[in-house]
């Protein structure tokens, strides 16, 4: 039997569909081994540079050697070292030292594993938010354009998924946008609240660094500040155990789970509207909706978003439980769990945002279907207007109410028992009692008169709340997204 090649070998192993099938290349890289271990080396460089600037005997030659080998990672050697040492950080210390023999003695000086592990995680989380935020802003922008376009188009509103008063297509979309704007603020806050772990030592006391600097507390504090700044953070957590508090992970995944809930609701609405044939997600020319039913146009993009959003919402349970069982300064049962849940949360959020952007860029509205549904329900909704018009024409409210009650029940029977169209207005036109307002019926049944201030609310909301929130992302608003498999 022939030895399988690299491609065949990859096909013989499980690969997460989050990476192999859906996620963007940039988010995939953000959680890659290359990004992780390249960041470890940069953190070792930052530490050495800061220690040198504060007087430790580290040479320019050692620093230059480290700088020259930041991305020269022998992954095969690192894997062999980890297999032997059973310790990932020390495996990469040895691998880095192998290509930096002059700097070998000062790599990881005074640090603990969590110096590179936790600080890298915080960098990756920050960078993950920076990838998600423009994507979320683009979705909001596309939906804002849609809402503006259809701000005046009346549509039947639903409460309890039962016909209610009219709204507009644009106003309904603003309900989606408002939730996503809350998510935008939440993601920005979570990103901006992230701090750096910094250089804190094995149990967070900085004892090893205090020893390195011979009891000089000010130099230890300055070391922490310098490394934090080099990593691009404004602040470090003032106190830590061996790790930064795992409540930070709860906050990060909570806002992502909340985003998942928003997108699930939006895409559920779109799926329901697709069933009503009022609004549909884009459908490719050669796309197949069903292998057995050629006529079907399944809302597969929205279904994908709902499916993955459920996964995203459940992931917050992991850091909740992890934080609750971190005994004293730290236990290691957080590590394997965090390798999975942190990456999967960002990868999943990335996928559903890209998919929702694709949906929002191609939403199709069917006004005639919407109008027909309105006409089925509007006659009943207009009864109060008809009563008021009759009273103004000299009629008695109670007599009018009774007439309308009888006619509306007759019309309802036609709809429900005979499967016919709503003929309530035809019955009103045929009844001499209502002759004083027959000429007003058309205006009384104008759908736009039933939408209240919906168009004005759309305009005000988009102008005062939505567009200003998108200003920081204007330079990244261009370009459509191609749907993954």
């Amino acid at each position: 039997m022939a030895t399988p090649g690299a491609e065949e070998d990859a096909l013989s192993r499980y690969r997460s569909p989050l990476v192999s099938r859906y996620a963007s290349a940039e988010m995939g890289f953000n959680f890659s081994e290359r990004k992780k271990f390249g960041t470890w080396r940069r953190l070792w460089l930052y530490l050495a540079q800061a220690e040198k600037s504060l007087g430790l005997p580290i040479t320019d030659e050692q620093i230059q050697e480290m700088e020259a080998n930041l991305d020269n990672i022998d992954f095969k050697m690192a894997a062999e070292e980890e297999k032997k040492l059973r310790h990932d950080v020390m495996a990469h210390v040895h691998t880095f030292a192998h290509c930096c023999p002059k700097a070998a003695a000062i790599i990881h000086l005074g640090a603990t594993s969590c110096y590179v592990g936790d600080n890298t995680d915080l960098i990756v989380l920050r960078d993950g938010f920076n990838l998600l935020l423009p994507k979320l802003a683009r979705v909001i922008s596309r939906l804002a354009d849609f809402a503006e376009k259809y701000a005046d188009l009346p549509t039947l509103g639903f409460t309890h998924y039962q016909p209610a008063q009219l709204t507009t297509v644009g106003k309904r979309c603003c309900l989606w946008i408002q939730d996503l704007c809350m998510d935008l603020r939440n993601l920005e806050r979570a990103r901006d609240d992230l701090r750096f772990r910094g250089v804190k030592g094995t149990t967070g006391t900085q004892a090893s660094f205090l020893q390195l600097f011979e009891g000089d507390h000010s130099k230890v504090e300055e070391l922490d500040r310098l490394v934090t700044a080099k990593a691009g953070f404004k602040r470090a957590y003032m106190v830590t155990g061996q790790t930064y508090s795992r409540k930070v992970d709860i906050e990060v995944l909570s806002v992502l789970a909340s985003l998942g809930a928003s997108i699930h609701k939006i895409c559920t609405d779109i799926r329901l509207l697709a069933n009503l044939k009022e609004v549909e997600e884009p459908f490719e020319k050669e796309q197949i909706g069903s292998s057995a039913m050629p006529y079907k146009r399944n809302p597969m993009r929205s279904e994908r978003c709902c499916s993955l959003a459920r996964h995203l919402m459940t992931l917050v349970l992991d850091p909740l439980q992890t934080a609750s069982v971190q005994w004293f300064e730290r236990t290691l049962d957080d590590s394997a769990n965090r390798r999975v849940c942190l990456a999967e949360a960002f990868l999943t959020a990335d996928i559903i945002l890209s998919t929702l952007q694709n949906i929002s860029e191609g939403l199709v509205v069917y006004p005639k279907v919407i109008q027909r549904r309105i006409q089925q329900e509007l006659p009943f909704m207009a009864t109060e207007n008809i009563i008021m018009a009759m009273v103004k024409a000299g009629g008695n409210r109670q007599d009018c109410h009774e007439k309308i009650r009888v006619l509306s029940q007759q019309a309802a029977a036609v709809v429900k028992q005979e499967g016919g169209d709503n003929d309530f207005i035809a019955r009103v036109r045929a009844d001499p009692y209502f002759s004083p307002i027959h000429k007003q019926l058309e205006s009384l049944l104008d759908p736009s008169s039933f939408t209240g201030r919906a168009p004005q609310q759309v305009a005000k909301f988009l102008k005062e709340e939505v567009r200003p929130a998108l200003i920081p992302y204007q330079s990244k608003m261009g370009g459509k997204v191609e749907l993954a498999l």
Side-chain angles (χ1 to χ4, degrees):
M1 183 176 177
T3 303
E7 183 178 350
E8 182 63 31
D9 186 54
L11 294 173
S12 301
R13 301 177 181 216
Y14 172 78
R15 294 184 299 162
S16 169
L18 294 177
V19 175
S20 66
R21 190 173 179 89
Y22 299 129
S24 65
E26 59 266 28
M27 190 62 80
F29 176 76
N30 191 51
F31 287 92
S32 68
E33 299 287 271
R34 188 168 295 280
K35 168 76 176 276
K36 175 181 177 179
F37 297 128
T39 304
W40 285 11
R41 290 193 174 190
R42 284 163 176 78
L43 287 167
W44 284 319
L45 173 64
Y46 301 155
L47 181 62
Q49 289 172 328
E51 289 174 336
K52 177 181 182 298
S53 70
L54 291 170
L56 292 188
I58 296 172
T59 67
D60 289 338
E61 192 175 24
Q62 288 173 315
I63 296 295
Q64 291 165 4
E65 188 180 53
M66 293 173 73
E67 289 176 330
N69 287 281
L70 291 175
D71 297 308
N72 178 27
I73 303 174
D74 187 337
F75 287 97
K76 183 178 179 181
M77 178 183 178
E80 291 170 351
E81 288 288 331
E82 184 172 355
K83 187 175 182 180
K84 178 174 63 177
L85 301 173
R86 308 298 294 178
H87 197 288
D88 56 350
V89 172
M90 287 309 299
H92 278 269
V93 169
H94 289 187
T95 304
F96 196 19
H98 180 75
C99 57
C100 298
K102 295 174 183 176
I106 56 94
I107 293 173
H108 199 67
L109 182 60
T112 185
S113 298
C114 286
Y115 167 69
V116 289
D118 270 31
N119 283 325
T120 292
D121 286 344
L122 290 162
I123 290 170
V124 168
L125 295 179
R126 177 197 65 194
D127 293 352
F129 278 127
N130 286 335
L131 290 172
L132 292 180
L133 280 163
K135 294 189 176 190
L136 176 53
R138 282 198 294 271
V139 170
I140 293 171
S141 175
R142 305 303 190 264
L143 290 175
D145 292 341
F146 179 86
E148 190 170 50
K149 181 177 180 180
Y150 294 103
D152 299 325
L153 182 60
T155 190
L156 183 62
F158 290 93
T159 59
H160 317 277
Y161 201 38
Q162 301 298 314
Q165 289 293 321
L166 299 191
T167 182
T168 69
V169 172
K171 171 63 190 303
R172 174 179 283 149
C173 183
C174 285
L175 298 178
W176 304 340
I177 295 170
Q178 181 167 251
D179 287 353
L180 293 176
C181 284
M182 292 174 65
D183 293 313
L184 188 74
R185 291 193 296 272
N186 288 340
L187 263 65
E188 289 172 337
R189 176 190 52 77
R191 178 199 60 189
D192 295 343
D193 281 353
L194 284 175
R195 300 189 189 187
F196 202 53
R197 180 187 176 274
V199 287
K200 297 297 195 295
T202 54
T203 57
T205 64
Q206 299 177 302
S208 58
F209 297 105
L210 191 63
Q211 185 176 0
L212 278 175
F213 290 103
E214 298 179 347
D216 190 329
H217 290 267
S218 63
K219 285 190 174 182
V220 175
E221 289 188 2
E222 182 64 6
L223 177 71
D224 204 1
R225 189 194 67 79
L226 286 173
V227 174
T228 297
K230 286 177 181 293
F233 285 81
K234 295 180 180 179
R235 298 176 297 171
Y237 295 108
M238 293 185 70
V239 294
T240 72
Q242 188 171 86
T243 69
Y244 68 78
S245 170
R246 294 311 184 217
K247 282 186 70 68
V248 174
D249 295 342
I250 296 174
E251 293 188 0
V252 169
L253 265 65
S254 290
V255 299
L256 296 181
S258 183
L259 172 65
S262 299
I263 294 178
H264 198 294
K265 183 266 193 291
I266 293 168
C267 290
T268 299
D269 282 357
I270 294 172
R271 291 165 68 189
L272 293 170
L273 289 168
N275 173 261
L276 297 174
K277 296 181 174 60
E278 293 188 4
V279 178
E280 284 183 344
E281 64 179 38
F283 197 87
E284 308 297 337
K285 183 178 179 181
E286 297 182 5
Q287 182 176 331
I288 295 175
S290 167
S291 62
M293 294 167 281
Y295 59 86
K296 293 198 75 178
R297 290 171 64 97
N298 297 334
M300 66 87 151
R301 294 163 170 82
S302 299
E303 290 173 319
R304 175 183 298 173
C305 284
C306 289
S307 182
L308 291 172
R310 287 199 300 272
H311 177 60
L312 178 56
M313 288 185 282
T314 64
L315 287 172
V316 71
L317 295 175
D318 278 341
L320 281 168
Q321 295 181 76
T322 295
S324 71
V325 295
Q326 288 301 286
W327 306 342
F328 303 114
E329 280 65 48
R330 189 265 170 101
T331 66
L332 192 59
D333 65 346
D334 64 334
S335 179
N337 184 286
R338 294 175 70 252
R339 287 177 192 267
V340 176
C341 70
L342 295 180
E344 288 202 354
F346 278 86
L347 289 164
T348 306
D350 177 72
I351 295 159
I352 59 178
L353 280 174
S354 295
T355 308
L356 185 55
Q357 180 184 337
N358 178 268
I359 293 169
S360 62
E361 288 171 345
L363 282 173
V364 181
V365 178
Y366 297 104
K368 290 188 182 300
V369 178
I370 293 172
Q371 183 180 16
R372 183 183 178 199
R373 182 159 286 108
I374 288 175
Q375 294 305 319
Q376 288 290 314
E377 301 294 339
L378 189 60
F380 293 149
M381 297 177 191
T383 54
E384 186 65 22
N385 289 8
I386 293 173
I387 292 174
M388 294 297 102
M390 281 295 294
V391 171
K392 288 180 181 178
N396 179 282
R397 185 194 180 281
Q398 310 330 320
D399 293 340
C400 184
H401 184 279
E402 178 60 19
K403 284 276 188 181
I404 287 178
R405 185 187 70 80
V406 173
L407 294 181
S408 63
Q409 289 188 2
Q410 290 171 351
V414 171
V415 173
K416 295 179 179 179
Q417 297 174 21
E418 300 176 19
D421 291 335
N422 188 331
D423 63 358
F424 172 73
I425 296 302
R427 292 174 185 274
V428 172
R429 289 187 189 279
D431 193 326
Y433 175 81
F434 294 99
S435 58
I437 63 164
H438 279 169
K439 292 182 179 180
Q440 300 179 45
L441 284 176
E442 187 172 341
S443 62
L444 292 174
L445 290 167
D446 179 6
S448 63
S449 67
F450 290 82
T451 59
R453 298 191 63 254
Q456 291 74 24
Q457 288 179 348
V458 171
K460 186 178 178 67
F461 175 59
L462 295 181
K463 179 182 178 181
E464 297 185 9
E465 291 197 25
V466 180
R467 303 295 186 190
L470 301 180
I471 290 174
Y473 306 97
Q474 287 298 331
S475 64
K476 299 180 180 180
M477 286 297 182
K480 290 190 175 184
V481 68
E482 292 297 324
L483 183 66
L485 288 174

